[in-house]
Amino acid sequence: MMGWRSLLQPHRIVLMALFAGLVVWCAISLRWDWIPEYAPLAIEGAWRTIWILVVTTVVGFLLAIPLGLAQAIGPWYLSMPAKTFCTIIRGTPLLLQIWLLYYGLGSLFPQIPWIRGSELWPYLRQAWPYAVLALTLSYAGYEGEVMRGAFAGVNKGQLEAANAFGMPRFTMFRRIWLPQAIRNVLPTLGGETILQLKATPLVATITVVEIYAVSSRVRSDLFIVYEPLLLLALFYMIIAGIIALLFRRFELKTGSRL
């Protein structure tokens, strides 16, 4: 009951009315006859965007765990490379990293005979592996620093108690240290995942056809500007909302700190 009362406050009713009016105006006044022709390409681009997002965030986070652990407790020969990697990733633009990998490695690999003759060459000659690699390393660099703080913030008394009871180091890490570190950074991870979604349009600069590239193609083919951009914004808002809801559920289930 209280939820409906808060929803039906006057200022929110005005905002909802304005939004509904804007939707009706867009549906009536703008041009949408191009959608059936470009719908298959848009669906493929949306799937590729989601696929890139899922792969790069999952693999990037798996890389961030050892990066954060090395910085938190590792010896200098592990902590220094991890710190250097995170500093370089966080200190350079993602677009530059994508171009360096694509135009750097992409230009180097064709000159190596055993790579050109390998079974990987049909994939390495395409743009998407470099896009996935760049986004994965970028996510790992940012989350590696986040995980460093998360590992350092876990209560040391619990670790000392587990060690006193003779719990093996790996078991202590798996059952106590890592779960608590992840729980404490879930809100941050949710925000970083949404930022990763917003970074995916950069892969269009190296000819990867994801949802933003489809929108650009519609604009260049039909000279229509607002309609594809509005649908593109709606797509990102929906995916970002789903990500926020999923992480919020994880936070509530695990009792994460806000």
Side-chain angles (χ1 to χ4, degrees), residues 11 56 59 120 172 231:
H11 69 283
T56 57
V59 178
L120 292 176
M172 179 172 60
L231 291 180

Side-chain angles (χ1 to χ4, degrees), residues 118-140:
S118 69
E119 296 181 355
L120 292 176
W121 178 241
Y123 302 99
L124 294 177
R125 64 189 300 177
Q126 301 180 48
W128 67 264
Y130 306 98
V132 169
L133 178 61
L135 288 173
T136 299
L137 294 179
S138 175
Y139 194 83

Side-chain angles (χ1 to χ4, degrees), residues 27 73 80 86-87 100 112 118 170 172 179-180 184 210:
I73 62 166
M80 284 300 295
C86 293
T87 300
L100 284 175
I112 303 176
S118 69
F170 180 74
M172 179 172 60
Q180 292 197 41
N184 292 339
E210 42 73 67

Side-chain angles (χ1 to χ4, degrees), residues 14-30 32 230:
V14 172
L15 289 176
M16 288 188 291
L18 290 174
F19 178 75
L22 179 62
V23 171
V24 172
W25 179 83
C26 290
I28 296 175
S29 303
L30 299 182
W32 306 105
L230 287 173

Side-chain angles (χ1 to χ4, degrees), residues 38-48 211 214:
Y38 289 89
L41 187 61
I43 293 173
E44 182 181 351
W47 163 248
R48 186 169 288 116
I211 190 64
V214 176

